Amino acid sequence: MGTSQLLTYVAISVFCVFKAGSLDTFIAAVYEHAVILPNATLTPVSHKEALVLMNQNLDLLERAIISAAKQGAHIIVTPEDGIYGWNFSREAIYPYLEDIPDPQVNWIPCNHPNRFGYNPVQQKLSCLAKENGIYIVANVGDKKPCNASDPQCPSDGRYQYNTDVVFDSQGKLVARYHKQNLFLGEDQFNVPTKPEVVTFNTSFGRFGIFTCFDILFHDPAVTLVKDFHVDTILFPTAWMNVLPHLSAIEFHSAWAMGMGVNFLASNIHHPSKKMTGSGIYAPDSPRAFHYDMKTEEGKLLLSQLNSHPYHPVVNWTSYASGIEALPMGNQEFKGIVFSDEFTFLELKRVMGNYTVCQKDLCCHLSYEMSEKRSDEVYALGVFDGLHTVEGSYYLQICTLLKCKTMDLHTCGDSVETASTRFEMFSLSGTFGTQNVFPEVLLSEIQLAPGEFQVSSDGRLFSLKPLSGAVLTVTLFGRLYEKDPASNASSNVMAQALTVMLVVLTTIVIKVSPNPI
């Protein structure tokens, strides 16, 4: 048998084995954790003191993990910074870090805790996974020594990474991901020299993982879906809500729908910093979500998901490109949304059809309100440009939103409550990208599961009168190719080919009685 025939035979055989043992559905859990924070984050403490704090948080996570496992969960995601908090200096974070090996070492820390030095946090997570028969996703800190022969080695002689780890139901380390896109203030961590694309297979689907701010960029987020064909994204995050378009449950559910994957988002619960909003999202609709700015308690969510969700194909330009934009005279006005200058049109009637354009993007809206209230103003807005606050990335956005007050200058300001209900809406745009994320957010920061969908020609439209008053209906587009050049850019496709070669080689070695 030739090599190509053997690989084909092996691929078919392995597929059949996976298929026979695979699950069509699984139960996912995410835990929104009210993290216990250290007293000081700029002054270093001893490792013993750091471990005391981390064990306090691990005790809380343990309760959630045990509860999820008892309810049948196959996997649980916990938040970014959930074991020790945030706002550390580089020196102050060091006592909290452990040396996390490459998962290829085939290690179960619970069975062999000292194989790679003293790693009590990894041992604890491994034992929790093994004892409860559940996959555990956690965010920890990784440290890697380096020396002067490495021109990129930091002056203190080590790399420090914001790191996600995954332990399988046997307690084995199966994934390690170093965060690529660090947020402002994460100076305690280094960016990996090459973007990491991390996946792993289970009997209930193929998983990919990235962290918080990564979601706004192409690598590794889009690459995981487009090139590595994952079914489910695991997303530890410490997300601070920014209205009107970047509230956690709003944007994360939209990303799941836009990319056609399951999305498990676990956020920190810290209302004073506007940190809340976790969820279990399928491509067609949110399955469970939590947003709570009133209490200080954590929250465990569980829901059943399809292991291999259906990924519909959408042409985001098709419908809108066939509509002729009518001149609106001098009715347009400018407004600021998260420091971006939008072009707006006020919705002056109870129903209507409006078009507003900026640069290459024209947004079209058909709508009908239940009533045109005299105390609320809504507007249709468009933005086509480079966003430059708290990150730099190119956006194309079409949005229907409620203005904060009757003053048109407040259109784009953060607003959390509304009273106007919509009988119907249909929103579309002439996007220059196929990476568009559909958002619908109701009053009191609530989602609208099952009340809207996206058509194959690129319309975001209501299926029935909405159950709550509208804050925003938005198509949030990302033009990654127009982003500023990144210093950390790399050839991700070359990495993809390397990973695929390693996987094929591993399959051949495992299945063939005489490894080649």
Side-chain angles (χ1 to χ4, degrees):
M1 183 182 293
T3 301
S4 61
Q5 291 174 304
L6 175 61
L7 288 174
T8 301
Y9 169 76
V10 168
I12 293 173
S13 300
V14 172
F15 174 78
C16 291
V17 171
F18 284 165
K19 192 69 175 177
S22 66
L23 301 174
D24 292 330
T25 63
F26 70 101
I27 297 176
V30 302
Y31 181 56
E32 180 161 309
H33 172 44
V35 61
I36 300 171
L37 298 172
N39 293 326
T41 57
L42 300 180
T43 304
V45 298
S46 68
H47 177 69
K48 183 178 180 180
E49 292 173 291
L51 190 57
V52 168
L53 176 82
M54 290 192 287
N55 280 330
Q56 288 178 302
N57 281 300
L58 285 167
D59 288 344
L60 294 175
L61 296 180
E62 179 177 4
R63 296 176 199 172
I65 290 165
I66 292 173
S67 177
K70 286 181 177 178
Q71 296 178 69
H74 295 83
I75 187 168
I76 183 170
V77 184
T78 62
E80 180 186 25
D81 299 333
I83 294 177
Y84 43 67
W86 55 86
N87 286 343
F88 289 92
S89 67
R90 183 173 177 84
E91 295 74 22
I93 193 67
Y94 184 70
Y96 297 85
L97 308 182
E98 294 186 355
D99 189 347
I100 305 171
D102 189 309
Q104 291 184 7
V105 299
N106 193 28
W107 181 40
I108 300 178
C110 191
N111 295 353
H112 305 283
N114 298 316
R115 183 179 167 193
F116 296 99
Y118 181 56
N119 293 299
V121 172
Q122 292 175 80
Q123 180 185 354
K124 176 70 171 179
L125 292 168
S126 171
C127 290
L128 283 172
K130 179 181 178 181
E131 292 165 2
N132 294 282
I134 188 173
Y135 279 72
I136 294 176
V137 183
N139 180 259
V140 295
D142 187 13
K143 58 183 179 182
K144 289 287 180 284
C146 55
N147 55 50
S149 63
D150 177 359
Q152 298 185 36
C153 181
S155 59
D156 55 17
R158 63 181 182 263
Y159 291 107
Q160 300 181 170
Y161 299 113
N162 179 330
T163 309
D164 299 327
V165 292
V166 183
F167 294 93
D168 71 9
S169 56
Q170 302 301 312
K172 183 169 74 172
L173 178 67
V174 294
R176 179 196 68 186
Y177 168 69
H178 296 137
K179 185 178 180 181
Q180 178 64 36
N181 300 285
L182 299 176
F183 191 62
L184 304 179
E186 283 193 275
D187 299 331
Q188 69 270 35
F189 293 120
N190 299 107
V191 174
T193 54
K194 294 181 180 179
E196 299 176 355
V197 182
V198 175
T199 68
F200 62 95
N201 293 310
T202 73
S203 62
F204 48 96
R206 181 168 173 80
F207 288 75
I209 188 167
F210 56 83
T211 313
C212 204
F213 201 41
D214 284 327
I215 196 174
L216 284 167
F217 301 91
H218 187 277
D219 297 325
V222 176
T223 298
L224 280 167
V225 179
K226 299 294 188 183
D227 298 331
F228 286 77
H229 309 291
V230 298
D231 301 303
T232 301
I233 292 293
L234 307 170
F235 187 67
T237 186
W239 191 278
M240 291 178 286
N241 293 296
V242 180
L243 292 168
H245 301 136
L246 288 173
S247 180
I249 60 173
E250 170 191 28
F251 188 66
H252 302 158
S253 61
W255 203 91
M257 179 173 281
M259 297 304 294
V261 291
N262 298 323
F263 196 85
L264 311 184
S266 173
N267 198 6
I268 289 290
H269 187 77
H270 198 75
S272 66
K273 284 190 172 292
K274 298 185 178 179
M275 289 178 171
T276 183
S278 302
I280 299 171
Y281 310 111
D284 59 340
S285 183
R287 298 299 168 85
F289 64 93
H290 176 69
Y291 180 94
D292 171 24
M293 287 287 289
K294 297 178 181 178
T295 73
E296 301 299 326
E297 302 298 320
K299 179 71 173 180
L300 176 66
L301 302 175
L302 292 97
S303 185
Q304 182 172 283
L305 291 170
N306 292 325
S307 300
H308 308 286
Y310 172 66
H311 185 178
V313 177
V314 177
N315 184 330
W316 287 102
T317 309
S318 178
Y319 181 81
S321 61
I323 298 178
E324 182 179 355
L326 299 175
M328 300 304 296
N330 296 320
Q331 300 178 47
E332 296 178 351
F333 62 94
K334 301 297 183 181
I336 302 300
V337 181
F338 195 17
S339 299
D340 299 325
E341 187 177 73
F342 278 60
T343 302
F344 282 109
L345 278 172
E346 180 185 355
L347 308 187
K348 294 184 176 181
R349 300 187 298 273
V350 70
M351 66 176 67
N353 296 284
Y354 286 83
T355 296
V356 63
C357 301
Q358 187 181 104
K359 296 182 182 176
D360 296 328
L361 179 61
C362 287
C363 303
H364 307 295
L365 173 68
S366 298
Y367 72 94
E368 180 181 350
M369 300 174 180
S370 298
E371 62 172 326
K372 181 66 177 75
R373 295 177 60 96
S374 60
D375 59 346
E376 291 189 331
V377 172
Y378 282 80
L380 172 65
V382 57
F383 177 72
D384 184 352
L386 185 67
H387 175 81
T388 58
V389 175
E390 295 185 353
S392 184
Y393 41 90
Y394 201 97
L395 299 174
Q396 284 190 328
I397 296 177
C398 294
T399 185
L400 157 66
L401 54 74
K402 183 204 169 188
C403 304
K404 187 172 185 178
T405 69
M406 300 298 291
D407 185 345
L408 295 182
H409 290 99
T410 67
C411 294
D413 289 356
S414 176
V415 56
E416 298 185 359
T417 60
S419 299
T420 300
R421 294 175 182 259
F422 280 71
E423 294 294 311
M424 63 80 62
F425 65 80
S426 176
L427 181 66
S428 61
T430 57
F431 290 95
T433 177
Q434 292 303 306
N435 297 114
V436 179
F437 311 114
E439 304 178 341
V440 176
L441 191 65
L442 304 182
S443 183
E444 305 287 351
I445 320 299
Q446 295 296 304
L447 301 181
E451 298 181 19
F452 65 93
Q453 70 179 42
V454 172
S455 61
S456 59
D457 60 4
R459 285 171 293 151
L460 170 59
F461 64 95
S462 55
L463 294 171
K464 56 184 178 181
L466 294 182
S467 58
V470 167
L471 290 181
T472 178
V473 174
T474 301
L475 292 172
F476 189 103
R478 278 287 284 114
L479 275 71
Y480 302 107
E481 64 274 16
K482 288 191 174 184
D483 287 358
S486 170
N487 294 328
S489 62
S490 67
N491 189 338
V492 177
M493 281 307 298
Q495 184 183 3
L497 291 172
T498 301
V499 172
M500 291 171 65
L501 180 60
V502 170
V503 170
L504 282 173
T505 303
T506 303
I507 290 173
V508 171
I509 291 173
K510 287 183 177 179
V511 177
S512 175
N514 297 302
I516 58 173

